[in-house]
Amino acid sequence: RKKMGLLLLLLICQCAINSVKTHNVSKPNIILLMADDLGIGDLGCYGNKTLRTPNIDRLAEEGVTLTQHIAASPLCTPSRAAFLTGRYPVRSGMAAFSRVGVFLFSASSGGLPSEEITFSRLLKQKGYATALIGKWHLGMNCESSNDFCHHPLSHGFDYFYGLPVTNFRDCKPGQGSVFLKGIQKSLVIPIQITGITLVSLAMVQYIGLLKVPFQALGYFLLIITISLVVLIIFFYHFRHLNCFLMRDHQIIQQPMSYENLTQRLTKEAMQFIERNTDTPFLLVLSYLHVHTALYASEDFKGKSKHGLYGDAVEEMDWSVGQVLDVLEKHNLSDKTLVYFTSDQGAHVEEISRAGEVHGGYNGIYKGGKSTNWEGGIRVPGLLRWPGVVQAGASVDEPTSNMDIFPTIAKLADAQLPSDRIIDGHDLLPLLQGKVTRSKHEFLFHYCNAYLNAVRWHPGNSESVWKVFFFTPNFSPEDSNGCYDSHVCFCHGGFITRHDPPLLFDLSTDPEEKVPLTPETESRFYEILRVVHQAVDNHTRSLHAVPNQLSWDNLLWKPWLQLCCSSLFQSCHCDSESGGSSLQMH
């Protein structure tokens, strides 16, 4: 009887332990930290020796480092759409056929469609408190300035504090403009044509060859003048119209101030965690660092070895440390999965007007933001969950930022949508060391809406083949980017098509230096055959959807403009100034 009683007691204890383990692994808190334009070579845990990132490195020491973590796109808007939905951006219409691949204005009508299911929506349905703090860049309104059809709160977030578009150079006085060069190039030909037309009409009128009604000429001149005036006014007020902070649906600072901005974002994140210590929560902290315009608070300015860029990286690392500290303070570390990444690689062409490098470092990898060379899409991928995922482990298998969707959906006990293709895969078996191979046999690399390259990791091989159908034309030719145009483009004279496609084996040539040939790779044509078959299968899985980045959806529409005062008062308000900032440690 004593033995039976003891056995029963042990059984009850084991059940209780299993119950606790199951509870811990089920419905953890989720914190997703996303940098903007951070290079994989900017972090100590990925080999940087001069930038100080101890808090981000701590995630690597206490968790898993993904060394072949791939962004679904090398541009902000499509990459973030893929991240939130677990799907290639071309499936949701968030990939452009035009030259412009991201949203530029707060009053554009395009955005992440309401039909798309985000991980925030799934987790909210499972009782999670959900918040997005920082950059959004996935649209705002559809038909009126207050329908908020694309707003974070319409996509499953309970709380939003941040920037609806992105951090442009134009947002910070004295930092130049990302539009000026493009506008100058775009307007030169139309102005020349208009000028030549007007002079020609005046001449034929003077000679008497043709009678041009002065009224028609007047209307034509009036339209041209009004268009130019609107354009000049818009770009003169660009900062007020597009660079502002919101809390939920309300504008709280227009234009946005950079003073203690990272501290304010961090404070909001910490307060959200402290409001939800007894509730499972999802926090997406989407940093403005290190997209230009670069900025850093006084506590970090001039402290790094890499100018303002390094200061910004080190300030972001401080913020990550603050978030980790608040988890420890409330005994939440063991109950929280923390993920750190960047939306794409470093923007290598970013150089200030003073000649200072304002772009990051992509390590050994070629190219950068806007390209599907490894430097544009291979990003940091760090995941920490003490006691659940391996500590100090490294995974060299191909993984994607689309994998976060199914991973956290499963942890929240949420059902994946069955009416659509989810391109991501659950990462937990890899993170726990239960499997050693990624489920991604193929990854498709899009340049906007154009299929640019394919990665193939055969199940029976260590090779990672990468096939390029076209590559961007770098300018200057011997450089590592498209410096003449500031970013690389995806079609026409901006690219070189390859037939046969370029082939690399990333397992032996991660720098993509030497394309393989039929002479240097005996399976050359067999590899291309398999990849072409995979492309055919993938293409058949795509369905026509409205293009959210069409010119119509990209253009500024005055009736969609968010303004906290009025357009005549230059859209100015500030309920943020005078707020307390976090103490530096």
Side-chain angles (χ1 to χ4, degrees):
R1 280 184 184 177
K2 282 184 180 178
K3 282 185 178 178
M4 285 292 288
L6 190 62
L7 194 64
L8 190 62
L9 188 64
L10 285 170
L11 199 62
I12 290 167
C13 288
Q14 187 61 45
C15 286
I17 289 166
N18 288 342
S19 170
V20 169
K21 281 184 178 176
T22 304
H23 175 73
N24 283 345
V25 174
S26 178
K27 290 201 171 182
N29 304 312
I30 309 288
I31 296 180
L32 308 176
L33 307 167
M34 179 172 276
D36 197 351
D37 292 2
L38 182 75
I40 194 170
D42 286 328
L43 302 176
C45 52
Y46 283 96
N48 194 295
K49 304 296 183 190
T50 51
L51 279 173
R52 295 166 296 185
T53 55
N55 296 298
I56 297 171
D57 297 346
R58 186 174 141 204
L59 292 175
E61 291 159 13
E62 299 173 1
V64 176
T65 301
L66 304 175
T67 63
Q68 200 180 160
H69 195 46
I70 308 301
S73 170
L75 285 175
C76 306
T77 294
S79 177
R80 289 161 186 268
F83 171 63
L84 277 169
T85 63
R87 288 151 54 81
Y88 288 110
V90 70
R91 296 193 191 279
S92 57
M94 296 292 279
F97 289 94
S98 64
R99 188 186 300 185
V100 180
V102 300
F103 294 116
L104 302 174
F105 312 125
S106 65
S108 297
S109 56
L112 188 64
S114 56
E115 299 80 19
E116 288 299 313
I117 297 173
T118 60
F119 55 62
S120 44
R121 184 176 294 176
L122 288 183
L123 267 62
K124 184 176 181 178
Q125 290 168 357
K126 284 294 178 178
Y128 273 70
T130 57
L132 172 71
I133 292 166
K135 169 177 167 172
W136 174 236
H137 210 181
L138 293 171
M140 192 53 47
N141 294 305
C142 289
E143 295 176 358
S144 70
S145 62
N146 60 359
D147 63 36
F148 298 115
C149 63
H150 303 307
H151 189 282
L153 268 59
S154 300
H155 281 291
F157 290 103
D158 299 320
Y159 182 68
F160 172 58
Y161 175 93
L163 187 65
V165 193
T166 190
N167 176 30
F168 294 108
R169 279 189 176 276
D170 306 66
C171 293
K172 192 178 181 188
Q175 292 298 304
S177 171
V178 294
F179 298 103
L180 207 55
K181 187 185 286 188
I183 289 168
Q184 285 171 341
K185 284 185 176 179
S186 302
L187 288 180
V188 165
I189 293 174
I191 288 172
Q192 286 176 342
I193 291 170
T194 304
I196 291 167
T197 303
L198 288 172
V199 170
S200 302
L201 286 172
M203 285 178 68
V204 296
Q205 176 86 10
Y206 179 75
I207 295 168
L209 293 175
L210 185 67
K211 291 286 182 185
V212 181
F214 277 105
Q215 195 174 11
L217 200 60
Y219 281 132
F220 179 69
L221 280 170
L222 184 64
I223 291 166
I224 294 294
T225 304
I226 290 171
S227 300
L228 284 172
V229 167
V230 168
L231 197 65
I232 290 164
I233 290 172
F234 174 77
F235 282 103
Y236 182 76
H237 291 287
F238 182 90
R239 180 167 160 256
H240 290 77
L241 298 177
N242 297 286
C243 313
F244 52 85
L245 284 179
M246 297 183 76
R247 178 177 278 113
D248 294 334
H249 291 135
Q250 184 182 357
I251 296 174
I252 54 175
Q253 192 174 58
Q254 190 172 18
M256 169 182 74
S257 166
Y258 286 89
E259 186 178 357
N260 293 325
L261 182 53
T262 301
Q263 283 79 357
R264 285 183 275 153
L265 295 172
T266 307
K267 184 179 178 182
E268 287 283 340
M270 293 169 68
Q271 288 176 340
F272 174 76
I273 293 168
E274 289 176 327
R275 287 197 301 271
N276 293 286
T277 53
D278 298 321
T279 310
F281 64 80
L282 163 71
L283 167 64
V284 180
L285 179 48
S286 176
Y287 290 104
L288 276 60
H289 287 318
V290 282
H291 196 293
T292 52
L294 294 178
Y295 69 96
S297 63
E298 290 302 319
D299 294 276
F300 293 92
K301 204 174 287 181
K303 301 293 173 63
S304 79
K305 294 181 180 179
H306 290 282
L308 190 53
Y309 183 88
D311 300 342
V313 172
E314 293 185 1
E315 182 171 47
M316 178 172 61
D317 179 79
W318 165 83
S319 173
V320 171
Q322 295 293 298
V323 172
L324 298 183
D325 288 349
V326 81
L327 291 178
E328 285 189 8
K329 177 184 173 184
H330 294 284
N331 298 314
L332 294 173
S333 296
D334 292 350
K335 303 172 188 174
T336 306
L337 173 67
V338 180
Y339 167 71
F340 180 89
T341 193
S342 177
D343 54 358
Q344 64 263 328
H347 193 173
V348 295
E349 296 94 345
E350 274 290 3
I351 297 171
S352 75
R353 292 197 296 185
E356 183 182 352
V357 174
H358 276 191
Y361 176 53
N362 291 317
I364 64 169
Y365 303 111
K366 186 174 182 176
K369 175 179 178 175
S370 79
T371 81
N372 281 303
W373 294 112
E374 290 296 283
I377 55 175
R378 195 181 287 224
V379 293
L382 304 169
L383 294 108
R384 186 196 80 165
W385 186 3
V388 179
V389 307
Q390 305 171 88
S394 181
V395 172
D396 193 33
E397 290 287 293
T399 57
S400 168
N401 65 350
M402 296 183 292
D403 295 337
I404 297 304
F405 180 98
T407 302
I408 65 176
K410 187 172 183 181
L411 291 173
D413 297 329
Q415 285 287 106
L416 289 180
S418 57
D419 63 341
R420 65 199 63 204
I421 292 171
I422 301 297
D423 297 298
H425 296 293
D426 180 15
L427 284 172
L428 205 58
L430 266 178
L431 301 177
Q432 293 181 312
K434 292 179 179 178
V435 300
T436 57
R437 302 289 294 196
S438 166
K439 288 184 181 176
H440 287 291
E441 184 180 0
F442 297 97
L443 279 169
F444 301 93
H445 305 305
Y446 280 86
C447 186
N448 287 353
Y450 304 99
L451 184 59
N452 185 183
V454 178
R455 180 182 306 248
W456 177 35
H457 185 36
N460 60 351
S461 169
E462 293 305 310
S463 291
V464 179
W465 307 109
K466 189 173 176 187
V467 172
F468 275 96
F469 303 113
F470 63 85
T471 50
N473 298 330
F474 284 170
S475 53
E477 278 186 36
D478 58 349
S479 69
N480 189 42
C482 302
Y483 289 86
D484 292 349
S485 53
H486 193 63
V487 292
C488 297
F489 297 116
C490 304
H491 60 280
F494 298 102
I495 63 168
T496 297
R497 297 193 177 276
H498 302 285
D499 187 16
L502 296 185
L503 174 65
F504 298 92
D505 182 358
L506 298 177
S507 67
T508 58
D509 181 20
E511 299 168 66
E512 298 168 296
K513 280 186 172 178
V514 184
L516 298 169
T517 66
E519 290 71 41
T520 57
E521 175 51 63
S522 60
R523 294 162 294 175
F524 183 88
Y525 290 109
E526 173 63 15
I527 293 163
L528 292 186
R529 186 191 65 78
V530 172
V531 167
H532 280 299
Q533 183 59 57
V535 169
D536 288 344
N537 294 338
H538 169 69
T539 304
R540 281 198 294 272
S541 76
L542 301 176
H543 303 289
V545 291
N547 181 5
Q548 298 297 324
L549 288 152
S550 65
W551 282 114
D552 176 52
N553 280 325
L554 282 171
L555 288 173
W556 178 63
K557 296 176 178 173
W559 58 93
L560 299 183
Q561 183 62 54
L562 287 166
C563 189
C564 61
S565 52
S566 74
L567 285 171
F568 299 106
Q569 293 172 299
S570 297
C571 295
H572 188 276
C573 62
D574 188 358
S575 60
E576 281 284 276
S577 290
S580 61
S581 63
L582 284 171
Q583 194 68 36
M584 302 295 120
H585 298 290

